[in-house]
Structures are given as structure tokens and as C-alpha cells.
Amino acid sequence: MRALHRILWLGLCAALLGLGGCVRTWETGAAVQTAPLGQLAPEVQQALAPTGVLRVGVYLGSPTSWVRDARTGASQGVAFELGHALGLALGVPVQVVSYPRVAEVIEGLKRAEVDMTFTNATAARAKDVDFTPPLIQLELGVLVPANSRLQSFTDVDRAGVRLGVSQGSSSQGVLGERLKLARLVPVASLDVAQQLLQRGELDAFATNKGILFELSEQVPGSQVLTDRWGLENLAIAIPKGREAGRAYLNEFAQARVRQGDVKRMSERAGLRGLAQNP
């Protein structure tokens, strides 16, 4: 398997979760209040974690997925924490599986290498994986290096502009159809995007602002432009064919929003760029 495989057994905590207790998320040290979701049917656990382990797909560099605290090394991120919360609810160990970029996480879901993630719920992806209703909404934007002549998204679509996007991402698909003059440059990972921006080989990089603000801290002098070119609706994603767990998963997701858990997860991960006027 790819970079990161960790197994965490929390059977006792899972029992407390079913009673509406207070558990602590792995590595974050942050308390998450939980509420009972009713009796867990065996077929639900089998549908959502068919191997007996909940395999959570993440990619490094996005607060919506997985980030590491530079000072403490602690892992955070909405997908990371939601995965552990769901594992607790199901009463199964959690295995975190990391990929270089979000497109490979989706491929991992399609191949049933992983059991869930948290990502942009697009119509195209819904053909390949199933989603809960959206939990949060993020602005899509553009990051430009220091002293850029680009001041807004409307400036991007010009001849000679090299606009980076994550290879296989929803941004690549949307902007590939929308832009007429700018040249899209698919990049293999966010680390590669950082290097290309620093070397002056990209004029801008486009994705959701949660990622862009993280990336801006790695590229001195860069800035996230204030306007937006779209919105992402982020939801829990699971492989197709797991209908027996869908109702439970939707209820789980709505409870995490209703109780403020997703908001706290987002804050711990330093997620910025949430849509103020959806």
C-alpha cells in the first residue's frame, strides 16, 4: 500500500460512542462530543467496513483531508478526523491510507482499496462513488506568486498564463472547459505545485481556498486572490454498492454537522476559505 498505514483499535471508546459519550480523536487530543445513532445493525458495519477495518483515504496538504502540525507533528484534517469518528461509531479499527493527490483517493474508492474519504461531491464523481449530503462548502480560488500581474480570476484567462491544477482533479475538468486562452498545467502533487510556483514555472495555481491558504504559507510572497470562480460542496464519499450502510452514514454525517463536530474539525485543521455567502 501507499505511504501511510496505521491501525488504531478503540473498542472501548466505540462502546462509549454508542452510549453518547465523549471520546478523544487520535493524535489531535481534541474532545469530540457524540450522540447515540441507534442500534448498529451488523449489516451496516459489514457494508461500511467489509474487511473489519475502516480504511480512510487521505492526501497530504489539504485541511479538508490531512495535514500535519509543523510544530507537534500531530495529524489533523476533516477526512482524517471524520474517518476516526466513523470507525469509533462502527466499533472497528481505523487504517489511514495516504495518496499523492485527491484523484488517486477517488480511484482508491472505485477499486475498494479504501472505504471512505471526504471530498468535493461533483456530478462526475457521483457516477463512480456515493456521497452523503454536503457537510461544508468551500470557495474555489487562485494562488499567485509574489509580484504577479494577475489581480483577479478574470485576469487568468490570457494567452501565456500557465495555470496549475492538481492532475485529475475536479478543478482540472471544470477549468479545462471554461478557460479559452490560459494553458492548464496538471501537477502530480501539491509539493510539485509549490516547487513550480517558487521556480517561476507556474503563473498561478487553482483549487479550493482551503488548500491555497496552506500552499501560500510554503511560497513566500504569494497570495490567494480575494474573488472566487466557484464553490466546492464537500461530503463523505464511499464506494458504490454499499447501500446497506447509506442511511446510517447519512445520519452519522448530519449528526456531526448538527453537533458542531465538523466545524471543530475544520478549525483544528486550520481550514480557511469557507463560503460566507453560499
Side-chain angles (χ1 to χ4, degrees), residues 28 58-59 62-68 74-84 118 262 265-266 268-271:
T28 67
V58 298
Y59 65 103
S62 171
T64 64
S65 190
W66 176 42
V67 290
R68 297 191 69 92
S75 288
Q76 291 153 334
V78 181
F80 182 91
E81 288 204 49
L82 276 174
H84 284 85
F118 183 69
V262 174
M265 291 172 186
S266 300
R268 284 192 288 271
L271 178 60

Side-chain angles (χ1 to χ4, degrees), residues 139-144 148-159 161-165 170-184 203-209 212 223-231:
E139 292 188 339
L140 290 158
V142 175
L143 175 73
V144 296
S148 174
R149 69 185 188 279
L150 306 177
Q151 300 299 311
S152 69
F153 178 71
T154 56
D155 295 333
V156 171
D157 197 14
R158 296 178 178 177
V161 172
R162 301 160 298 178
L163 179 64
V165 289
S170 54
S171 294
Q172 180 181 3
V174 171
L175 293 176
E177 295 181 356
R178 184 168 172 180
L179 301 180
K180 306 302 180 185
L181 299 176
R183 179 167 68 90
L184 284 189
D203 300 299
F205 187 80
T207 186
N208 72 62
K209 289 187 178 181
L212 294 181
Q223 64 172 327
V224 179
L225 300 182
T226 57
D227 59 350
R228 71 190 191 196
W229 54 269
L231 294 168

Side-chain angles (χ1 to χ4, degrees), residues 10 17 27 29 62 97 110 115 121 123 142-144 166 170 176 208 273:
L10 291 171
L17 180 65
E27 289 196 18
S62 171
V97 185
K110 290 167 60 177
D115 302 305
V142 175
L143 175 73
V144 296
S166 291
S170 54
N208 72 62

Side-chain angles (χ1 to χ4, degrees), residues 169-248:
S169 66
S170 54
S171 294
Q172 180 181 3
V174 171
L175 293 176
E177 295 181 356
R178 184 168 172 180
L179 301 180
K180 306 302 180 185
L181 299 176
R183 179 167 68 90
L184 284 189
V185 181
V187 299
S189 69
L190 295 175
D191 283 341
V192 173
Q194 173 191 333
Q195 296 165 16
L196 294 177
L197 286 164
Q198 289 177 323
R199 294 202 300 261
E201 296 177 30
L202 286 179
D203 300 299
F205 187 80
T207 186
N208 72 62
K209 289 187 178 181
I211 293 175
L212 294 181
F213 280 114
E214 288 288 315
L215 190 57
S216 69
E217 295 178 355
Q218 309 302 318
V219 183
S222 65
Q223 64 172 327
V224 179
L225 300 182
T226 57
D227 59 350
R228 71 190 191 196
W229 54 269
L231 294 168
E232 281 190 350
N233 296 289
L234 288 100
I236 296 174
I238 61 173
K240 291 283 189 182
R242 301 191 178 185
E243 283 74 17
R246 289 285 302 278
Y248 179 89

Side-chain angles (χ1 to χ4, degrees), residues 23-80:
V23 299
R24 299 183 73 80
T25 60
W26 180 45
E27 289 196 18
T28 67
V32 174
Q33 295 292 331
T34 64
L37 294 177
Q39 185 67 33
L40 181 65
E43 59 265 27
V44 170
Q45 185 186 82
Q46 176 62 30
L48 297 178
T51 66
V53 174
L54 185 70
R55 300 163 299 174
V56 182
V58 298
Y59 65 103
L60 186 62
S62 171
T64 64
S65 190
W66 176 42
V67 290
R68 297 191 69 92
D69 187 288
R71 182 176 58 85
T72 67
S75 288
Q76 291 153 334
V78 181
F80 182 91

Side-chain angles (χ1 to χ4, degrees), residues 84-151:
H84 284 85
L86 182 58
L88 290 172
L90 296 175
V92 298
V94 172
Q95 181 180 18
V96 176
V97 185
S98 72
Y99 294 82
R101 56 185 182 273
V102 64
E104 293 193 21
V105 180
I106 300 299
E107 287 298 316
L109 282 173
K110 290 167 60 177
R111 294 191 295 264
E113 293 176 353
V114 291
D115 302 305
M116 67 87 70
T117 193
F118 183 69
T119 189
N120 186 20
T122 66
R125 287 177 178 172
K127 297 176 181 178
D128 298 316
V129 300
D130 286 331
F131 289 100
T132 65
L135 279 64
I136 59 175
Q137 198 169 46
L138 274 180
E139 292 188 339
L140 290 158
V142 175
L143 175 73
V144 296
N147 303 315
S148 174
R149 69 185 188 279
L150 306 177
Q151 300 299 311

